[in-house]
Amino acid sequence: MKRVGLLTSGGDCQALNATMRGIVKALANNVDELEVYGFMNGYHGMIYGDYRLLTSRDFSGILTKGGTMLGSSRTPFKDIRKPDEKGLDKVEAMKQNYYKLRLDCLFVLGGNGSQKTANLLSEEGLNVIHLPKTIDNDIWGTDMTFGFYSAVNIATEAIDCIHTTAASHNRVFIVEVMGHKVGWLTLYAGIASGADVILIPEIPYHIDKVLEAIDKRTRDGKGFTVLAVAEGAVCAEDLKLSKKEYKKKMEKNNYPSVAYELADQILKKSGNEVRITVPGHTQRGGAPCPYDRALSTRLGVAAAQAFLDGDFGKMIGIRNNKTVRVKLNESAGKLKVVEKDDQFIKEAKLLGISFGD
Ligand code: F6P
């Protein structure tokens, strides 16, 4: 008899269910007797003993379902060593629940923060296998995270829709794309939708350069401009501010996010009125795209194989289209950012896309 636990932690994304299905189907086909426990709402369920014994029926028909059947929540890594309000030691509680259920392995589907906790539990002696989930694609050690391409599709469609109305009205539009501190999602969706300006956190923008790009389009007889702007993008001047000063500046000017700051800068300097669209959490919702279904199934099966091989303390990633096992303590805490000299950036610049630098 083998017993395994599953949890989905952090901001959700598409293909969480598909990944769990991949793990469990591959295990069920290769293990004589299997018990699968699902911890509810991420690490919260593991801390407080909120779990469900899952059956094969739970894993049927979920390949195409968005969200996560286990629920998810954020349990910040920085607080994980701090006792809860009743004095409970969270790490100890998770270990106790793992041992109480006599688990042979815990599969953690999560992003950067969840990965750090997975690594901690592994260092504490639990058998842990991590699967890289996030629309941000910012996990070090894997070319791709599941959820990313589904989000690219949604952000691309949003920018496509903006394109037609921007063209009809000869307007300047900003579409603000998710991605947290990295620009992968904006870069891919921006290129896929033919955005004229792409601003990402890794390349601080200069407002004069952005205006130059808009002016150039006007001079070329194109009445509209579409800007794909990452939520984490920042102008070069703001980089000089501390986090606190930046927050204060945004609040003082009533800028809910960088898109509003940029729109205001454009208006003040050029008189151009700018419209803003923020697709927000739609980018994390709905069914996984076919690529993510295939990727997450492959990662799930590879995770099951790592379990069968007794190879723990690993993240299952994909590199050069092959699944790989990456040591958790190598990947945890590192961010995969867009390098300024990435080939993709160079190609985009050759196309005439402005990055505001
Ligand atoms: O990490 C995934 C993500 O969707 C980021 O792109 C975004 O910055 C963040 O989560 C939003 O978090 P929340 O759902 O907590 O608002």
Side-chain angles (χ1 to χ4, degrees):
M1 162 75 79
K2 296 288 181 197
R3 295 181 188 84
V4 301
L6 291 173
L7 65 83
T8 55
S9 167
D12 76 341
C13 71
Q14 303 87 345
L16 283 162
N17 290 322
T19 307
M20 292 192 275
R21 171 184 172 273
I23 299 171
V24 173
K25 275 198 148 213
L27 286 179
N29 275 329
N30 292 284
V31 165
D32 286 340
E33 275 183 275
L34 179 70
E35 270 183 7
V36 180
Y37 292 89
F39 291 102
M40 306 310 292
N41 305 312
Y43 288 113
H44 189 272
M46 195 166 176
I47 296 169
Y48 297 103
D50 185 8
Y51 54 82
R52 256 193 332 123
L53 180 60
L54 302 168
T55 68
S56 60
R57 217 181 287 164
D58 289 302
F59 296 93
S60 258
I62 62 168
L63 176 64
T64 58
K65 282 204 176 131
T68 159
M69 66 167 165
L70 296 180
S72 191
S73 68
R74 293 195 190 274
T75 312
F77 177 72
K78 64 177 169 49
D79 298 334
I80 206 79
R81 286 285 188 194
K82 288 185 199 153
D84 77 355
E85 54 287 354
K86 288 190 177 145
L88 182 78
D89 180 330
K90 294 174 212 149
V91 176
E92 213 40 52
M94 287 195 274
K95 286 165 68 178
Q96 288 313 317
N97 282 316
Y98 178 96
Y99 292 126
K100 189 178 98 185
L101 292 171
R102 290 178 292 145
L103 296 182
D104 296 297
C105 178
L106 172 72
F107 293 93
V108 174
L109 284 63
N112 278 300
S114 314
Q115 187 192 44
K116 287 193 236 172
T117 302
N119 183 45
L120 174 73
L121 292 176
S122 166
E123 285 172 351
E124 288 285 323
L126 307 191
N127 293 336
V128 180
I129 296 177
H130 168 240
L131 293 108
K133 156 244 76 159
T134 170
I135 64 165
D136 304 337
N137 194 28
D138 59 353
I139 298 182
W140 188 91
T142 182
D143 290 346
M144 213 46 76
T145 58
F146 57 87
F148 175 65
Y149 267 120
S150 303
V152 169
N153 285 357
I154 296 168
T156 301
E157 268 177 34
I159 305 173
D160 284 349
C161 292
I162 290 304
H163 241 116
T164 59
T165 175
S168 304
H169 290 271
N170 284 322
R171 276 174 171 161
V172 178
F173 260 97
I174 294 174
V175 182
E176 187 179 278
V177 179
M178 272 189 172
H180 201 41
K181 293 180 184 163
V182 303
W184 293 111
L185 189 50
T186 311
L187 181 59
Y188 274 70
I191 301 283
S193 60
D196 309 299
V197 177
I198 296 178
L199 303 181
I200 60 173
E202 294 88 339
I203 306 179
Y205 72 85
H206 296 264
I207 185 60
D208 292 340
K209 296 285 177 190
V210 174
L211 291 171
E212 248 173 49
I214 299 173
D215 279 353
K216 183 171 182 311
R217 281 184 59 79
T218 312
R219 283 199 310 276
D220 291 349
K222 303 193 178 114
F224 70 95
T225 302
V226 175
L227 299 91
V229 177
E231 62 178 351
V234 63
C235 75
E237 280 166 33
D238 285 351
L239 262 193
K240 295 176 200 144
L241 304 177
S242 68
K243 240 182 168 181
K244 213 171 153 190
E245 287 167 335
Y246 177 68
K247 201 171 163 233
K248 212 168 148 193
K249 173 184 165 179
M250 299 295 276
E251 276 167 10
K252 189 173 150 225
N253 290 290
N254 279 327
Y255 298 144
S257 64
V258 64
Y260 294 83
E261 180 184 16
L262 177 61
D264 202 27
Q265 288 170 326
I266 295 174
L267 177 68
K268 282 185 181 140
K269 290 217 169 198
S270 71
N272 251 325
E273 216 181 274
V274 180
R275 295 285 194 274
I276 297 168
T277 293
V278 183
H281 287 76
T282 61
Q283 293 163 97
R284 269 181 15 199
C289 68
Y291 175 87
D292 271 338
R293 294 178 203 178
L295 172 67
S296 57
T297 302
R298 287 187 70 187
L299 294 177
V301 173
Q305 186 61 58
F307 172 84
L308 295 171
D309 295 342
D311 194 3
F312 304 111
K314 298 285 164 65
M315 172 186 78
I316 308 300
I318 188 142
R319 281 195 212 144
N320 301 322
N321 208 25
K322 298 259 183 295
T323 59
V324 289
R325 298 173 189 172
V326 183
K327 282 187 188 152
L328 261 179
N329 60 9
E330 243 175 58
S331 173
K334 289 188 197 148
L335 211 58
K336 186 182 71 184
V337 300
V338 180
E339 299 298 340
K340 285 192 182 84
D341 59 354
D342 193 289
Q343 202 179 29
F344 206 1
I345 300 275
K346 288 184 185 158
E347 290 157 357
K349 285 189 172 174
L350 282 174
L351 266 182
I353 293 173
S354 167
F355 284 82
D357 60 338

